[in-house]
Amino acid sequence: MSLTRTLIDVRPLRTSPVFRRLLIGRTVSVLGAFMTMVTVMYQVWDMTHSTVWTGAVGLANAVPTVVVGLFAGSWADRGDRRRIYLFNTVGQAVCSLLLAVQGFTGHVPVLGVLALIAAQSCFGAVGGPASGVFIPRLLPKDQVAAGLALNTMSFTTMMLVGPALGGLLIGWAGIGACYLVDALTFLLAFYGAFGLPALPPEGEPSRAGLHGVLDGLRFLAGHRVVRGALLTDLAATVLAMPVSLFPLINSERFGGSPRTLGLFLSAISVGGITASVFSGAVTRLGRPGLVMLLGASTWGAALAAFGLMTDPWAGLGFLALAGAADSTSVISRSTIIQTHTPDALLGRVSAAEQIVGQAGPNLGNLRGGLVAGWTSGATALFTGGLLCVLAVAGVGASTPELRTGGTAAPDEP
């Protein structure tokens, strides 16, 4: 295969100005989100010096995503997804502006800060499922995987750049300025989506309330390929999420140096970016199910190997491999979901994917912390990675359509 076909497929950027503008706006907005993530953690710690309160930041993000997300997908499948996304982008920007105001004044208690984060998470929980339909509606089917790969690369790159930039800005101009920059990034996100056409659901709109939610859950339970994709993601995150173990592993194996600890997440991001850059071969392969299973298995195996390492450079190498495998798996999983789900249900399925993506890592970090408390950080990492490999193998064995690249119709159980 030529180098051109190995590198990331940029056809969506050339052929769709609407997609190009949308991607630029969302990339800048994600940068602001990661800057705010660091700023909130810094502010809450500075106000309380309590790990309980910093842990509450995760709850303020996760709980609204899960609770609101159950009904947000049904709403997105009843109305114009473009209008819903724009409304919620404005809501997120207002929350960032309020965070900036309290950052400059410094008179809001920690519960007020968490309330603003929770409100912003509510808006994001609704906007996420609405935006889940954009790529398959804007791009031809043979470019959907490429569009998702570009999305993943932009997200992973901002995950690497955003926290570092946020830390620099906090030191230079203070927390209020960092929140204000985040608020301004939503202007580009709004501009990127404003030029979209109206995007009402194709097919029968969702029923209102709980009935629409149950319809979406029945689809997820009955569609083997989509169900297998979400189960694979749960296996990778709940069983093998390593982030909560990094400080302990760093202390147990690598001397506790803060420089080493800082490199752990960077290594995962670098691996993810590299895999995205060379994702052309994967997105053109046309076997997303098999690629997803191999990617999720490699993620688990690489983290298990990292748990056994005593040499820091070898450990960073395995983390980079894990990051590359994770990005490849994410691209393939998203391709499966977006191409196997009917448009009229895509908001609800995107909401389920968003909930899994939010709850899975949080549960995985909790699992890792509990196991490490009973045993050790290395044991928690190794056993989690091994269980991930076994669980993904179980999903693959029970869902042959994923292994063979079968293309079951969207409404086929």
Side-chain angles (χ1 to χ4, degrees):
M1 180 177 288
S2 67
L3 179 61
T4 302
R5 292 184 62 80
T6 301
L7 292 174
I8 190 168
D9 187 351
V10 296
R11 284 180 299 163
L13 296 177
R14 294 199 306 264
T15 60
S16 176
V18 176
F19 171 80
R20 183 170 63 243
R21 187 168 60 245
L22 180 69
L23 181 65
I24 292 171
R26 292 174 73 175
T27 299
V28 174
S29 180
V30 169
L31 173 65
F34 277 113
M35 291 172 63
T36 287
M37 179 188 74
V38 170
T39 309
V40 171
M41 296 299 290
Y42 175 85
Q43 182 183 6
V44 170
W45 174 257
D46 187 57
M47 295 170 73
T48 65
H49 294 283
S50 167
T51 55
V52 174
W53 282 110
T54 55
V57 174
L59 285 177
N61 276 300
V63 172
T65 300
V66 174
V67 175
V68 177
L70 286 171
F71 294 91
S74 181
W75 182 22
D77 285 337
R78 288 203 312 277
D80 178 1
R81 282 78 171 256
R82 168 187 174 272
R83 182 173 296 179
I84 293 170
Y85 178 79
L86 291 175
F87 171 79
N88 286 280
T89 298
V90 172
Q92 288 179 288
V94 169
C95 290
S96 288
L97 279 174
L98 293 175
L99 283 168
V101 170
Q102 67 81 30
F104 285 123
T105 61
H107 299 309
V108 175
V110 65
L111 281 175
V113 176
L114 294 180
L116 288 173
I117 293 300
Q120 189 172 57
S121 184
C122 287
F123 285 114
V126 179
S131 66
V133 308
F134 290 169
I135 289 179
R137 292 283 290 268
L138 295 176
L139 299 175
K141 190 171 183 178
D142 66 332
Q143 293 184 27
V144 168
L148 293 169
L150 289 165
N151 239 9
T152 300
M153 186 176 74
S154 74
F155 181 88
T156 309
T157 304
M158 295 307 102
M159 184 171 69
L160 179 64
V161 175
L165 189 58
L168 290 174
L169 190 57
I170 291 170
W172 176 58
I175 59 174
C178 207
Y179 289 132
L180 182 59
V181 169
D182 183 28
L184 294 175
T185 65
F186 285 109
L187 293 176
L188 272 177
F190 188 92
Y191 169 75
F194 190 76
L196 292 173
L199 293 170
E202 293 179 343
E204 184 178 352
S206 168
R207 294 192 290 173
L210 187 60
H211 294 294
V213 173
L214 292 176
D215 289 340
L217 292 176
R218 276 191 286 269
F219 171 81
L220 288 173
H223 196 291
R224 292 165 56 83
V225 173
V226 174
R227 184 182 66 218
L230 292 178
L231 288 175
T232 300
D233 188 30
L234 276 175
T237 53
V238 173
L239 297 176
M241 199 66 190
V243 176
S244 66
L245 299 171
F246 282 166
L248 181 57
I249 289 288
N250 189 43
S251 176
E252 289 178 346
R253 295 290 179 90
F254 305 121
S257 169
R259 295 194 189 100
T260 308
L261 180 61
L263 288 173
F264 287 170
L265 276 175
S266 296
I268 291 179
S269 296
V270 168
I273 293 169
T274 303
S276 297
V277 169
F278 292 98
S279 63
V282 171
T283 57
R284 292 182 173 97
L285 184 62
R287 299 285 295 275
L290 181 61
V291 171
M292 178 192 68
L293 294 171
L294 292 175
S297 298
T298 304
W299 157 264
L303 290 174
F306 171 66
L308 300 176
M309 291 299 105
T310 56
D311 178 75
W313 293 109
L316 291 174
F318 278 113
L319 286 178
L321 175 61
D326 183 53
S327 279
T328 302
S329 181
V330 167
I331 293 168
S332 301
R333 186 192 72 241
S334 298
T335 301
I336 291 168
I337 290 172
Q338 302 248 344
T339 57
H340 283 75
T341 304
D343 183 82
L345 283 157
L346 193 51
R348 280 163 285 183
V349 174
S350 295
E353 186 182 17
Q354 179 175 264
I355 290 170
V356 168
Q358 182 70 255
N362 285 320
L363 290 174
N365 282 322
L366 176 61
R367 180 215 65 86
L370 291 174
V371 175
W374 296 328
T375 56
S376 67
T379 301
L381 262 176
F382 179 78
T383 56
L386 184 60
L387 286 172
C388 170
V389 173
L390 293 175
V392 172
V395 173
S398 62
T399 316
E401 298 90 340
L402 288 174
R403 302 195 312 272
T404 60
T407 54
D411 57 351
E412 184 181 323

